Amino acid sequence: MPIFLDSSKVNEIEKFHKMGIIRGVTTNPTIMLKDGLTGGMAGIEERAKAIARLVAPLPVSVEVTTNEHDRILSQAKIFSSWAENINVKVTIHGPQGELENMEVIHELETVHDIRVNVTAMMSAQQCFLAALAGATYVSIFGGRVNDMGRNACGEIIKLRNVLDASSLKAQIIVGSTREVLNVIEWLEAGAHIVTVVPHLLRGMLVHPYSKETVQMFLRDGAEVERLLKDTTIEEL
Ligand code: E4P
């Protein structure tokens, strides 16, 4: 039940990767923009390669920036050629619900042998169709599902049951994390992976009472050292 990091900031990724607690990285154009990425496609290439190199062989998702059939195909081929561990994110359908993306997803996986992460999904039924099309990862946006007044856990439970029963290879990534508690509750509901924004990963790790306890140990440790300062190691 791995955790991925939902970020394109190399220093953030490096920090959590060095701790050994992340098993992959997800990005999208909105995250890249928010993280201050510049330089157009060359900027995306440089950043994606840097992240892929840093975490290899862990998977890195890079999203196409277009919804035109031919450009999705060509971007997917280019992005996946940057590193072996890069998979390509494609949205489930176009901005007006255009259906052609599914055909591209199927073609990328089955003809071009490119791993696809189908994204921007809000329901188990969308994810199931993406899985049938051959997607390696199906990304459901748990926080947005909850924002719409539904419970993401219900969708995750249904989806995991259906995927397991159909022996489809797709792995469920639940993204759009909003609260620390989302991570464990979504994994428990059946997500294969939860992708977490950096500040929530920090929130999972740091507990105010742990801080207080560590402060107590350090305070008392200093006192013990002070009291024992004339004692030799052999005497301890
Ligand atoms: C997908 O991988 C992300 O989690 C995506 O950025 C959605 O997150 P948001 O709903 O917080 O924007």
Side-chain angles (χ1 to χ4, degrees):
M1 288 188 180
I3 288 176
F4 284 8
L5 194 66
D6 208 15
S7 172
S8 66
K9 280 190 178 159
V10 175
N11 58 344
E12 291 275 19
I13 297 166
E14 185 173 25
K15 182 167 58 198
F16 292 112
H17 183 245
K18 276 184 172 170
M19 294 179 196
I21 59 178
I22 59 167
R23 298 286 182 272
V25 175
T26 49
T27 66
N28 63 38
T30 306
I31 288 173
M32 287 179 167
L33 205 58
K34 194 166 53 95
D35 289 348
L37 189 137
T38 53
M41 202 46 84
I44 295 177
E45 177 175 359
E46 191 188 350
R47 185 68 61 93
K49 284 181 173 174
I51 297 169
R53 207 170 29 245
L54 177 66
V55 303
L58 302 179
V60 178
S61 291
V62 182
E63 186 163 333
V64 296
T65 59
T66 175
N67 205 67
E68 289 167 35
H69 179 283
D70 291 350
R71 292 188 65 222
I72 296 178
L73 272 181
S74 59
Q75 283 193 1
K77 289 178 193 168
I78 293 168
F79 293 179
S80 60
S81 75
W82 289 339
E84 271 195 19
N85 54 332
I86 288 180
N87 59 75
V88 180
K89 260 185 170 177
V90 179
T91 57
I92 180 70
H93 56 61
Q96 304 304 327
E98 300 89 337
L99 302 180
E100 290 73 20
N101 292 19
M102 289 294 277
E103 190 185 314
V104 186
I105 290 158
H106 183 61
E107 183 178 336
L108 286 171
E109 285 276 359
T110 59
V111 179
H112 303 289
D113 198 27
I114 291 173
R115 304 288 76 81
V116 182
N117 176 350
V118 181
T119 190
M121 294 189 284
M122 308 294 158
S123 69
Q125 63 198 13
Q126 286 180 308
C127 294
F128 179 49
L129 292 178
L132 285 170
T136 297
Y137 300 105
V138 290
S139 286
I140 180 165
F141 284 11
R144 293 189 186 216
V145 173
N146 288 351
D147 287 345
M148 291 182 296
R150 299 186 60 116
N151 186 349
C153 287
E155 294 304 301
I156 298 164
I157 291 167
K158 281 186 286 184
L159 177 59
R160 182 61 185 265
N161 286 339
V162 169
L163 290 188
D164 286 351
S166 347
S167 306
L168 290 164
K169 68 165 184 181
Q171 299 244 298
I172 304 166
I173 299 182
V174 189
S176 181
T177 42
R178 298 271 192 270
E179 299 166 302
V180 168
L181 72 87
N182 293 151
V183 181
I184 297 297
E185 73 176 0
W186 291 345
L187 287 171
E188 206 180 11
H192 294 99
I193 297 149
V194 173
T195 188
V196 187
V197 287
H199 79 273
L200 291 185
L201 207 45
R202 210 171 288 115
M204 284 176 77
L205 194 57
V206 178
H207 192 287
Y209 200 27
S210 297
K211 274 166 67 172
E212 201 182 308
T213 306
V214 174
Q215 287 162 17
M216 177 189 75
F217 286 150
L218 289 176
R219 199 175 48 242
D220 292 344
E223 183 63 4
V224 169
E225 270 192 45
R226 192 186 65 78
L227 292 173
L228 296 178
K229 76 173 183 305
D230 295 328
T231 313
T232 65
I233 291 287
E234 290 73 33
E235 289 173 288
L236 288 177

